[in-house]
Amino acid sequence: MKQLLKNPLTNALGLSIFSTFYGLIFILTSGHREFIDILYYAQRGKGSSFLESWSAFLANGYQAYIAYALIAISVVVVLMLLLRRRPYDEYHTQVLTHCLAVATILTLAAIAIFYLAILSDPNGIIEKFTLFITIHWSTVVLADLVYVIVCRWR
Amino acid sequence: MQNKVRELREKRGLTQKELGEYVGVSRQAINAIETGKFDPSIWLAYDLAKFFGVTIEELFLFREEDRK
């Protein structure tokens, strides 16, 4: 595992798969009629003002802009990783391991919080889960950006 | 973990970056070792001790309270 994490290609490949998967979903659902039809708050105008605004944001297809921004950052991170001349050393690997552990704990906490949010109000599950994915994806991409900047060789 | 890496490095007039290049790690790794934020692997400790011509026990201060 440590040998895998030492290689910048592992990080680059992982982030590429992650961003490609969510990027495709966000871009494909943007402005898609079937996606808009399953948005609860945008259809009914119910719920908290934040969720209504978020639902309207999704109904307008603006999630594609989130995808473009995160894909652009991911491309920068992947390029920085690919242009790296040497593998990470054991200190960098330990930092990355800690980052992954923190990301895992935060994700588990977020799953619990969103599960409670859905249990308290099952309506608008698409909006809520899309919000969860947006936060999760942004956190991972930005954390990786900080990591590659902080751990650059020189 | 307390150690004498900074002391021995400075005696030799080396920068963290130069020492890192000698033992194959980054400047950040040397800095983290010197400030006690990072405990190196046994192989890196061996490389550092060998570079300075001392034993691992002379380079790193093994105290029971630092045991993890």
Side-chain angles (χ1 to χ4, degrees), chain A residues 72-141:
Chain A
I73 299 171
S74 299
V75 168
V76 171
V77 173
V78 169
L79 282 176
M80 285 174 79
L81 288 164
L82 294 179
L83 293 173
R84 195 181 166 84
R85 287 165 294 171
R86 303 185 209 185
Y88 287 117
D89 63 28
E90 58 185 71
Y91 171 66
H92 294 144
T93 309
Q94 190 192 63
V95 173
L96 184 58
T97 308
H98 288 169
C99 287
L100 290 174
V102 170
T104 304
I105 291 166
L106 287 176
T107 303
L108 292 174
I111 289 171
I113 291 165
F114 275 85
Y115 183 53
L116 280 177
I118 289 164
L119 282 178
S120 64
D121 179 11
N123 296 314
I125 191 167
I126 299 297
E127 288 95 322
K128 286 170 185 167
F129 208 77
T130 307
L131 179 63
F132 165 64
I133 294 299
T134 304
I135 294 168
H136 180 52
W137 186 17
S138 308
T139 307
V140 169
V141 171

Side-chain angles (χ1 to χ4, degrees), chain B:
Chain B
M1 188 175 204
Q2 280 193 355
N3 60 74
K4 295 180 182 171
V5 174
R6 184 187 295 268
E7 182 189 328
L8 293 172
R9 174 180 63 77
E10 286 176 348
K11 265 186 189 171
R12 294 188 177 218
L14 293 171
T15 63
Q16 290 179 336
K17 188 177 156 188
E18 286 166 340
L19 176 59
E21 282 171 0
Y22 278 117
V23 293
V25 294
S26 63
R27 181 196 60 75
Q28 292 108 319
I30 298 297
N31 184 57
I33 292 168
E34 287 184 354
T35 52
K37 289 178 189 167
F38 171 62
D39 292 339
S41 67
I42 190 69
W43 281 108
L44 179 52
Y46 170 77
D47 287 342
L48 285 165
K50 194 175 165 190
F51 176 79
F52 288 122
V54 295
T55 63
I56 292 177
E57 290 92 334
E58 284 171 326
L59 188 58
F60 292 93
L61 307 178
F62 287 87
R63 296 183 310 180
E64 272 305 312
E65 55 264 38
D66 290 336
R67 190 188 288 271
K68 288 177 182 168

Side-chain angles (χ1 to χ4, degrees), chain A residues 3 18 36 38 48 52 56-57 63 111 123 128 139 150 153:
Chain A
Q3 287 303 318
F18 194 74
I36 296 167
I38 55 173
S48 68
E52 274 181 19
F57 180 87
Q63 70 268 38
I111 289 171
N123 296 314
K128 286 170 185 167
T139 307
V150 170
W153 191 266

